Structures are given as C-alpha cells and as structure tokens.
Amino acid sequence: MQPILEVRELSQIYGAGCPACFTSTGAQANTNICPHCGTVVAMQQVSFELYPGEILGIMGESGSGKSTLIKCLYFDQVPTSGQAIFWDKGKPQDLFQLNPAQQRWLGNHRFGMVYQNPHSGLNFRVSAGGNIAERLLMSDILNYGVIRNRARNLLNRTEVLPERMDELPSNFSGGMQQRVQIARALATDPPLLFLDEVTTGLDLSVQAKILDLILEIQQQLRVAMIVVTHDLGVIRLLASRTLVMKYGQVVEIGLTDQVLEDPQHTYTQQLVSSAL
Ligand SMILES: Nc1ncnc2c1ncn2[C@@H]1O[C@H](COP(=O)(O)OP(=O)(O)O)[C@@H](O)[C@H]1O
Ligand SMILES: [Mg+2]
Ligand SMILES: [Zn+2]
C-alpha cells in the first residue's frame, strides 16, 4: 500500500550545533543536550511511514521529542533538516519545500491538529460554531447557511449539543473543549489528523469517552492519525502501530501488540514494566 506520509531523517536542534551533536546525544547517550556545544537535539533523524486510515502512536517520556515531531509536520515550526512527503490524492508533496502559502493550504485542507491545551487549538474569542466556521472560511466556503449547517453536523458528530454552538469555548468543560477542537480539526474533512496528548489532564471517565470518539472517527471517516502520548493505555486502545522515542531518537517501531507485549529495546521494556 502507498503511504500517506513518509518522514525521512527529520531533525530539530536548538542551538548553534557542532559536528558531534548527533553522536553525543540520543538514547545511548541518555541526554538530548550536546556536551560539546550545549545544543538541544530535540529530534534526531526520525523516519517512519504512515498509511491511509491507520493510527500510529508516538510514545515516550516528557522531553523525548514527540511534540516537536508533529509540530514540524503541521508546520507549527521549521525542522532543522530532513524531509516529509505527503501523498495528496496520489500526488507527492514535499512538505518542507513548499512555500508558506502552500503549507497554509495543506494545513487547513488536508491536516487537522488537536492540541493538549485547547487554547492552542481554539479561538476563545469566538463561539464553538465560530471556531468551525473560521476553518471553513479559510477554505473559501462563504455561504452562511452552508457553514452553519456543517458546523452543526460536526458538533453533532463530536457530541456537542447543537444548542450550545453559539457559546464561547470558555463556557465548556475541558472534555467538551476537546470535542470542539476535534470538530474544528475535522471541518475540512482532512485525511490526516495529529493529536498531541489530547486526553492528558482530563478525568478518567471523560478521557475514555474522548478516546471512544477518536476511534469512532477513525473507523467512520478513515482518517489517518498520529497520536502522541506518554500514556500506554491510550496507545493500547488507539494505535495499531507504535513508535517509541527517547531523547529525540526512535528506539523502536512496530505493531502495538508486539511493542507492548514483547518490547525489544530496554527503554521500551522499562516503560512497559513501569506502567504495569
Ligand atoms: N524552543 C526551544 N528551545 C530549546 N529547547 C526546546 C525548545 N522547544 C523544545 N525544546 C526541548 O526539546 C525537547 C523535546 O521537546 P518536546 O518535543 O516538547 O518533547 P515531548 O513532547 O516529548 O515532551 C525537550 O528537551 C525540550 O525542552
Ligand atoms: Mg509534548
Ligand atoms: Zn554539539
């Protein structure tokens, strides 16, 4: 099968860098700070493929580079080096070679992002419905009735009561804010969704309902997703394949069942046994 996304040797450093940065940081070195020059190697030569409709989990402790990875792919930040090819209806798009307008277009039409912090993903000055309308307006859907209908349908899909669509996000609970964020991310029917710790900090019962919703969306809409989390429970429930990161490096990638039942890397073994 043709992947929807191919990521090749993607790296992100913060600092001047030196020839020894990569060999002096990472899983083996047990640090992401270069001892020679003090540069932070947030992500080091990360490569993987994502297939249409699949959920890939990205697992690792805080600081391992998970958010850096998806922020680069969503154009929130510019990677230091590396390549990512997004296959858009059979046509390859070399993501970091595109101009800013092309990147904005893809970000708005082909990708969706759901952040841990709803303030990063929602405009708190406009209503829940307005948040969806914003994304539709960016994609040149200008008819008020069409936009309102689509907003109502999306909120309905994410189980936000339609009568609440004119309320501001600040009126909603944390779980409901995440539902509005998911509805906004889905507004333009993107084939690829990024989710960064979207249930972290929510009550367990609310977490379970949001995770169910994410699975339902993947099954009904066949959206490919990259799900970033430090929570093995989330990985187990959602991801068919899992990539494990430590200090900016990929230490293991495989079918989730195998990664969790029979982890190959000592770091993954530690993560799995400490979660039991
Ligand atoms: N702007 C920045 N300047 C310096 N270091 C940064 C910056 N942004 C992130 N980092 C560092 O990069 C590493 C990876 O961060 P991040 O991708 O947020 O990790 P995760 O999402 O896995 O917790 C961390 O050590 C973090 O402190
Ligand atoms: Mg993070
Ligand atoms: Zn260095």
Side-chain angles (χ1 to χ4, degrees):
M1 200 190 350
Q2 166 82 64
I4 185 169
L5 184 69
E6 294 173 69
V7 175
R8 296 280 167 257
E9 311 230 312
L10 200 59
S11 301
Q12 178 88 69
I13 67 169
Y14 295 103
C18 76
C21 279
F22 281 2
T23 49
S24 315
T25 60
Q28 280 287 332
N30 222 30
T31 179
N32 63 1
I33 300 170
C34 176
H36 306 285
C37 71
T39 291
V40 176
V41 181
M43 176 170 64
Q44 183 175 155
Q45 296 177 305
V46 168
S47 301
F48 64 91
E49 285 100 43
L50 178 75
Y51 292 90
E54 92 164 323
I55 301 185
L56 176 71
I58 312 277
M59 183 169 104
E61 287 171 307
S62 175
S64 56
K66 307 181 299 295
S67 296
T68 299
L69 169 59
I70 59 171
K71 280 188 195 158
C72 287
L73 296 172
Y74 192 62
F75 308 121
D76 276 346
Q77 60 188 62
V78 181
T80 311
S81 60
Q83 189 185 35
I85 305 287
F86 170 68
W87 290 87
D88 189 12
K89 299 176 178 165
K91 194 169 162 266
Q93 301 279 5
D94 196 345
L95 293 184
F96 308 121
Q97 300 301 320
L98 300 174
N99 68 40
Q102 293 169 316
Q103 291 184 340
R104 266 197 308 280
W105 190 92
L106 276 184
N108 197 44
H109 292 80
R110 295 291 181 259
F111 305 158
M113 172 71 112
V114 184
Y115 298 88
Q116 175 179 354
N117 183 348
H119 284 270
S120 304
L122 292 176
N123 179 351
F124 271 63
R125 291 179 306 277
V126 303
S127 67
N131 266 280
I132 293 164
E134 276 189 345
R135 234 171 111 94
L136 295 172
L137 288 167
M138 283 187 269
S139 67
D140 290 334
I141 299 174
L142 299 172
N143 181 292
Y144 178 79
V146 171
I147 287 177
R148 222 174 142 73
N149 249 326
R150 176 113 182 102
R152 189 178 290 111
N153 288 340
L154 282 157
L155 290 170
N156 189 37
R157 176 180 284 289
T158 59
E159 288 160 31
V160 178
L161 289 173
E163 52 266 39
R164 298 197 64 183
M165 75 184 277
D166 296 318
E167 288 182 39
L168 291 173
S170 50
N171 277 9
F172 290 85
S173 66
M176 291 303 270
Q177 288 171 352
Q178 293 310 60
R179 289 174 185 277
V180 176
Q181 242 201 116
I182 293 169
R184 176 181 163 112
L186 291 173
T188 52
D189 238 333
L192 177 53
L193 211 54
F194 303 108
L195 301 106
D196 194 352
E197 307 269 10
V198 295
T199 56
T200 303
L202 300 174
D203 289 344
L204 282 182
S205 61
V206 177
Q207 282 193 26
K209 287 182 192 143
I210 302 274
L211 295 173
D212 277 347
L213 172 66
I214 292 168
L215 264 186
E216 189 185 297
I217 287 166
Q218 185 249 348
Q219 279 155 12
Q220 290 178 359
L221 305 180
R222 295 271 128 216
V223 187
M225 303 188 193
I226 298 182
V227 174
V228 161
T229 180
H230 67 278
D231 184 338
L232 265 65
V234 172
I235 291 283
R236 198 183 292 278
L237 187 71
L238 295 183
S240 53
R241 281 193 308 134
T242 294
L243 181 156
V244 184
M245 290 182 75
K246 181 184 181 187
Y247 287 123
Q249 279 184 322
V250 177
V251 296
E252 187 158 352
I253 182 165
L255 293 173
T256 299
D257 288 347
Q258 278 171 16
V259 169
L260 296 183
E261 302 308 323
D262 185 23
Q264 298 303 302
H265 196 279
T266 48
Y267 177 68
T268 318
Q269 289 164 3
Q270 283 164 21
L271 283 182
V272 171
S273 61
S274 68
L276 291 177

